[in-house]
Amino acid sequence: MRLLEGRVALVTGGSRGLGRAICLALAREGADVAFNYSRNDADAADLLERLQAAGVRGWASKTSVLDRAGLQTLARTLETDAGQIDILVNNAGVGQVVPLALMEEEDWDRVMSVNVKGAFLTTQAVMRGMIKRRRGRVLNISSLAGLKMMEAPVHYAASKAALKGFTEALAKEIGRYGITVNCLAPGILEEGVSTNLPESRLAEYLRHCALGRKGTFDECAEVAAFLVSDRNSYMNGATIVLDGGV
Ligand SMILES: NC(=O)c1ccc[n+]([C@@H]2O[C@H](COP(=O)([O-])OP(=O)(O)OC[C@H]3O[C@@H](n4cnc5c(N)ncnc54)[C@H](OP(=O)(O)O)[C@@H]3O)[C@@H](O)[C@H]2O)c1
């Protein structure tokens, strides 16, 4: 029996990067996987093919995590088609390398909105069904930048720190319904939001990282698949750091 056989998952921002790796890891463990994205249809179509090739049901939806009505329709449609949503991974996120002095108000709003409000809106859309079924797993993707003092853009660090608080308060609120809420905080990964980091910041990270290298999306996705599984039944409100030992 695979780890997630019979489960249905929704992964936000699944079309590329870490979200894509998580979708594929969940599918490999037997889950049917839906994901949303905001712009790139080609990436989404490619992932959908990969999910189908893995022998599970897959759904792609071009719905921003800031589109409240769209997310509610997505959750309703998925519950009708798939019967349930057992797992939610709040992965969609954006970053931007800019010092505070040069940060525009729109920069702050965009990063905080996608990274924090997006998790709120998506979780709210999915939560009712989980409460009704008295079962669910929510995993929020934070970042080491939200937990440790390190050189990171302040809006990004603030948004990722917010997800830790979101995780803990929500875990307390809905644990009584048999739903667990945890958080995964990766260090610097191979690509994605860390692509444009200045060399000096990367070098500083690598100097402090006991493994002396960046993490991969697959390494992170492996852990995510375990965290949302029924084998991980007593962890709740936790933030798991995955950083090679910084
Ligand atoms: N990469 C790292 O080093 C690293 C380290 C720690 C934490 N993280 C976290 O891991 C998560 C994924 O990062 P990543 O590096 O994989 O990023 P990425 O490669 O830039 O991928 C971001 C994904 O989110 C989607 N997305 C962006 N805005 C969206 C919106 N408004 N609504 C729905 N989907 C949206 C993108 O879809 P479109 O292409 O269609 O826009 C894409 O699928 C983020 O939360 C990030 O903070 C990453």
Side-chain angles (χ1 to χ4, degrees):
M1 181 97 167
R2 290 179 291 176
L3 198 56
L4 301 171
E5 204 75 58
R7 295 288 178 255
V8 178
L10 172 61
V11 179
T12 68
S15 58
R16 328 184 245 122
L18 178 58
R20 176 186 164 89
I22 291 175
C23 288
L24 291 171
L26 302 189
R28 200 191 54 237
E29 293 298 339
D32 292 326
V33 178
F35 65 92
N36 71 335
Y37 62 103
S38 61
R39 283 174 311 185
N40 196 322
D41 298 322
D43 286 346
D46 181 68
L47 176 60
L48 208 49
E49 266 180 35
R50 293 279 306 272
L51 292 173
Q52 279 151 4
V56 300
R57 290 183 295 174
W59 299 267
S61 173
K62 191 174 192 170
T63 307
S64 168
V65 291
L66 298 177
D67 175 0
R68 185 177 201 185
L71 291 166
Q72 284 173 354
T73 303
L74 168 60
R76 254 198 322 272
T77 309
L78 186 57
E79 295 216 323
T80 305
D81 287 359
Q84 79 248 25
I85 304 172
D86 305 293
I87 296 164
L88 169 64
V89 182
N90 283 311
N91 163 80
V94 292
Q96 176 197 27
V97 180
V98 58
L100 184 74
L102 300 178
M103 195 176 286
E104 301 291 345
E105 190 176 342
E106 299 78 53
D107 297 334
W108 175 272
D109 287 344
R110 188 174 60 90
V111 170
M112 291 301 285
S113 295
V114 175
N115 296 3
V116 186
K117 189 175 175 185
F120 153 60
L121 291 176
T122 314
T123 306
Q124 202 179 48
V126 167
M127 198 48 50
R128 190 167 296 164
M130 287 185 174
I131 289 174
K132 220 186 291 166
R133 288 183 294 278
R134 295 288 195 274
R135 190 178 77 208
R137 293 271 184 269
V138 178
L139 181 66
N140 300 312
I141 305 297
S142 176
S143 164
L144 192 64
L147 307 179
K148 271 202 168 157
M149 193 167 96
M150 55 193 287
E151 269 196 73
V154 295
H155 50 0
Y156 183 75
S159 73
K160 292 298 170 178
L163 284 179
K164 182 172 184 289
F166 177 81
T167 298
E168 290 169 8
L170 187 62
K172 197 80 174 166
E173 186 175 313
I174 61 177
R176 75 196 70 163
Y177 304 115
I179 303 166
T180 65
V181 187
N182 290 297
C183 184
L184 181 59
I188 294 183
L189 303 177
E190 52 192 333
E191 284 172 5
V193 294
S194 64
T195 301
N196 294 321
L197 281 188
E199 276 305 314
S200 59
R201 284 195 196 170
L202 180 58
E204 194 207 1
Y205 175 83
L206 296 179
R207 202 170 53 247
H208 288 99
C209 174
L211 291 184
R213 64 170 176 84
K214 300 188 218 178
T216 70
F217 291 140
D218 286 343
E219 285 174 316
C220 222
E222 281 297 328
V223 177
F226 171 75
L227 290 177
V228 299
S229 75
D230 284 352
R231 267 190 235 163
N232 184 30
S233 49
Y234 199 52
M235 181 189 290
N236 196 20
T239 294
I240 303 300
V241 172
L242 196 76
D243 65 358
V246 172

